[in-house]
Amino acid sequence: MSTTTTATTANAAHPSSVSALMREIEHLGRDRTRGGYSRPVYSHPELELREWFLAAAAARGLDVEIDANGIIWAWWDRPDGNRSGALITGSHLDSVPGGGAFDGPLGVTAALAAVDLLRSEGRQPSVAIAIAVFPEEEGSRFGVACLGSRLLTGAIDPDRARSLRDADGTTFAEASAAAGLDPRHLGPDPSRVAQFSAFIELHVEQGRGLIDLAGPVAIGSSILGHGRWRVSFTGQGNHAGTTLMADRRDPMVAAARLIVGIEEIARTVPGARATVGRLEPVPGGTNVIASRVDAWLDVRHPDDDVTAALVERIRTRASEVAAQQGCEAVLVEESLSPTVSFDANLRDTLQHALPEAPVLDTGAGHDAGVLAAHLPTAMLFIRNPSGISHSPEEYVEDADADHGALALATAIMAVEAAPH
């Protein structure tokens, strides 16, 4: 597809700033209703962003390919028999509905800027380096976060992935085909994963860890375990004006009582997070008692056993509030990621290269967490003065963004030089 966005032509003597690269894409996917950006995977704005990245990579002479899972790889040299495993960096370009500008694109633009910086210094790494762009990291369209990296590593069954549906009923297979992929070839690619020696993902900080600290960059230690569940309440659809209150089997009331109960339950568990951020009544008319209500639940905790116990308490509460309304409730897991601790040796290498950077954990999921089961991974976080993410208020100062690219370039060279 064509796009009106022009990617910066790289100049080895004058590397691009992250802020300049971010300005090139700031008009793509603006959400005039919610504010911020809505860039669901394989939507028009997300496809425009992918085209922009392809052009930016080509302008730098990077060798670009799109694999069977829709992951874009922009290679600065490729692995061969004379090199050790490839070093990967990058992030994603899709967003949550009404999300911020930096969640995902910051990691992609910083990777491009880091390559520019290294080249401007005349560096030629002894390992192959690639920038990766992973599709459907947020799971905002098809409900499974980090879908591209899950497919790559075999963490999700390809048949299940193909059958995932968005809110309009479009399957992931159909959306992939419309984006130019062959959905029959979705699935694990162990030979590709075997080429990689490490993955470093730079990301905007999604919290308040760096606000009160002196530096703009932190090193990731771990990702809290988290998952998504769909709770479906079924009752009796009926007329809002003619059905007496005593005669109702209203799933919306059951859903509302569960949402309040989820907050009450989560507050009793130190360190827990539990959220219902999406609610869909069927048929959704103002003067109609719903026949079904679907609610999507996000639960997170550092201890996976605590997460499981918390979900079971919520399942029990769902059954109780449904019975009170003469309804039924079913809770189904859609995705689950255990707590991930990043590779200790890789983290030590980054700490030695970036001695002023603190080490912080995160409650947000990332492709680095999925890849961690298959190769050493690490993360760098860039200060967010608002402490707010998944919101238009998410923010990164230009100087911090450019400092992030420098930190990423430093990390790449440190990892490249470290013994394997």
Side-chain angles (χ1 to χ4, degrees), residues 15 22 26 30 40 53 67 75 78 94 132 170 193 197 220 228 234 239 283 302-303 310 315 331 376 380 389 417 419:
M22 290 293 295
E26 65 183 0
R30 283 192 178 276
F53 176 77
D67 72 12
W75 291 95
R78 283 180 176 267
D94 64 303
T170 302
V193 175
S197 63
R228 298 181 184 185
T234 55
H239 194 292
D303 187 325
L310 186 57
R315 187 194 304 273
L331 187 148
L380 298 175
S389 190

Side-chain angles (χ1 to χ4, degrees), residues 87-268:
L87 175 58
I88 311 299
T89 187
S91 193
H92 62 98
L93 293 170
D94 64 303
S95 78
V96 298
F102 299 91
D103 182 355
L106 181 66
V108 175
T109 54
L112 290 169
V115 169
D116 288 352
L117 281 168
L118 293 173
R119 284 176 161 175
S120 72
E121 295 173 355
R123 301 293 188 98
Q124 182 61 45
S126 61
V127 301
I129 292 175
I131 302 172
V133 177
F134 293 95
E136 186 65 333
E137 191 272 351
E138 297 290 4
S140 62
R141 183 173 180 184
F142 292 98
V144 177
C146 302
L147 186 55
S149 55
R150 288 178 190 273
L151 282 165
L152 173 69
T153 58
I156 186 172
D157 181 83
D159 287 335
R160 183 191 169 207
R162 280 185 280 264
S163 65
L164 293 171
R165 292 182 182 273
D166 66 11
D168 296 324
T170 302
T171 66
F172 185 65
E174 292 167 341
S176 297
L181 302 171
D182 186 339
R184 295 174 299 175
H185 298 154
L186 294 171
D189 191 348
S191 62
R192 182 180 294 274
V193 175
Q195 294 179 315
F196 307 150
S197 63
F199 175 63
I200 306 172
E201 182 172 3
L202 180 144
H203 205 278
V204 59
E205 187 190 16
Q206 297 176 287
R208 301 184 58 84
L210 276 168
I211 290 177
D212 298 322
L213 301 176
V217 178
I219 298 166
S221 61
S222 61
I223 297 175
L224 271 64
H226 60 282
R228 298 181 184 185
W229 292 261
R230 185 180 72 252
V231 189
S232 297
F233 292 95
T234 55
Q236 177 62 62
N238 214 329
H239 194 292
T242 62
T243 310
L244 298 176
M245 301 305 290
D247 296 335
R248 300 185 178 207
R249 295 168 49 212
D250 190 342
M252 184 65 82
V253 175
R257 289 182 173 173
L258 178 65
I259 293 169
V260 173
I262 287 170
E263 186 201 24
E264 294 172 349
I265 291 169
R267 284 181 178 274
T268 69

Side-chain angles (χ1 to χ4, degrees), residues 361-375:
D361 64 10
T362 180
H366 301 281
D367 290 303
V370 174
L371 295 173
H374 304 271
L375 68 152

